[in-house]
Amino acid sequence: MRPFRIDIPQASLDDLTARLRNTRWTPQLPGDGWSRGVPVSELRELASYWQTGYNWRAAETRLNEFPQYLTEIDGLDIHFLHVRSAQPDALPLLLTHGWPNSFVEFTELIEPLTRRGFDVVVPSVPGFGFSAAPRETGWSAARVGQVWAELMRRLGYERYGVQGGDFGAYVAPEVAKADPSHVVGVYITGGLGFPTEADLPELNEEEQTAFAELMNADWMHGVDHHALLRTAPQTFAYGWNDSPVAALAWLTQKFHEFNASGEPLEQAIDRDLFLTNLSVYWFTGTFGSSALPYYDAVGPLWPEGQKLVPTGVYSDAPGIRRLAARTNTITHWPETNPAGHHFIAMSNPADYAEDLQAFFTGLA
């Protein structure tokens, strides 16, 4: 375990500023609003703020308030945050971010969790941020889950909970499969219980409504990032790695599509927090390597979970509890949690921390 601090060279900040200043802007295409992608006017305003208003050094100082470490597991340096609660009987909780996020997803959630009696461990998925990028394919959710189990063993934890959203929703159950005698429960932000084509004839009226909600969601009709990141990430990584505006447009597009809060993105998620997440990708050059979880995926299959330990879910619809229970032992499935589940840890950390506590209370 080697202590780690973020220290981006000033030359990298100056380079980012110069690239933003020298952007060769594309004209606005015909079409209303977001119908052809991120509107030029909105992106220009956001890029201008990134260049002249956003303060990376302040964000860097904030991130360095969290104890950070590197440790080599399975041939890779794994970056992680490890923040202990003041409570002596704290339950360790392992948080796994998804795409297009990073460990930054949880920076506003950590304090509410430690205050509620959790030790918090936040690793960066291999190829994301400050974790090393794998040099070969095959880094599936199962392999990451095995690495996370080893990390918790090295930290000396005998009993712990795991959480995951997006790609983390695939990883968290795999940690339980790799280490069932030590994991007390698995908490998924959302994604369990999505019906397949074979399930459709059996859906009741309420479930059909939930399925229609799924099929009408913006993120079901946006850019197919699964296919793009599975088949041609190298092609697009040239632009993301060379042009900060290309990278900004890509993440703005996906955050817009994934935003399920019912509010405009700029109201749902703090602009500086969004840009800090983006800046971590930019300064570490990990836009391409963050596609690794998709390399070996076959289509946009939903997470299935596991039955070795109890499962809790933050968001219900468009998932269907009856279907999720086929492959999970569901003990927590609220129907009234605030919306915005994909980025709920960023947009509403207090409610998310409360629901995590509600699930894990009694499991330890």
Side-chain angles (χ1 to χ4, degrees), residues 145-305:
Q146 292 164 6
V147 170
W148 281 189
E150 171 60 18
L151 173 61
M152 297 304 278
R153 186 197 67 78
R154 292 188 186 184
L155 292 173
Y157 288 129
E158 292 293 324
R159 301 283 283 166
Y160 60 93
V162 293
Q163 172 276 350
D166 191 78
F167 181 60
Y170 298 83
V171 173
E174 296 296 338
V175 181
K177 294 177 185 178
D179 197 18
S181 62
H182 297 102
V183 173
V184 301
V186 171
Y187 181 97
I188 302 298
T189 306
L192 296 178
F194 284 177
T196 65
E197 288 292 329
D199 296 320
L200 298 185
E202 302 176 5
L203 301 185
N204 61 34
E205 184 175 350
E206 181 180 356
E207 292 168 347
Q208 289 176 359
T209 300
F211 180 71
E213 179 181 343
L214 165 66
M215 299 308 294
N216 289 327
D218 286 347
W219 52 273
M220 289 292 291
H221 301 281
V223 178
D224 188 351
H225 64 283
H226 282 264
L228 189 156
L229 296 175
R230 186 170 63 249
T231 57
Q234 186 70 65
T235 299
F236 292 91
Y238 296 115
W240 300 327
N241 200 64
D242 184 65
S243 167
V245 165
L248 176 64
W250 178 228
L251 262 65
T252 301
Q253 174 78 33
K254 295 314 298 183
F255 267 71
H256 173 80
E257 291 174 357
F258 288 157
N259 176 24
S261 67
E263 300 177 336
L265 180 61
E266 61 272 17
Q267 296 179 23
I269 297 177
D270 179 77
R271 181 166 58 171
D272 282 10
L273 188 61
F274 169 79
L275 288 173
T276 298
N277 180 67
L278 170 62
S279 296
V280 167
Y281 276 85
W282 174 261
F283 289 128
T284 58
T286 51
F287 290 102
S289 59
S290 67
L292 283 166
Y294 297 87
Y295 277 17
D296 302 314
V298 181
L301 302 177
W302 306 117
E304 291 187 350

Side-chain angles (χ1 to χ4, degrees), residues 122-142:
V122 185
S124 295
V125 173
F128 288 72
F130 298 101
S131 280
R135 293 173 291 277
E136 73 285 335
T137 59
W139 276 85
S140 63

Side-chain angles (χ1 to χ4, degrees), residues 23-29 36 38-41 43-44 245-246 249:
T23 299
R24 183 187 182 202
W25 286 96
T26 182
Q28 177 65 56
L29 298 175
R36 295 296 180 266
V38 186
V40 173
S41 60
L43 199 70
R44 290 192 76 134
V245 165

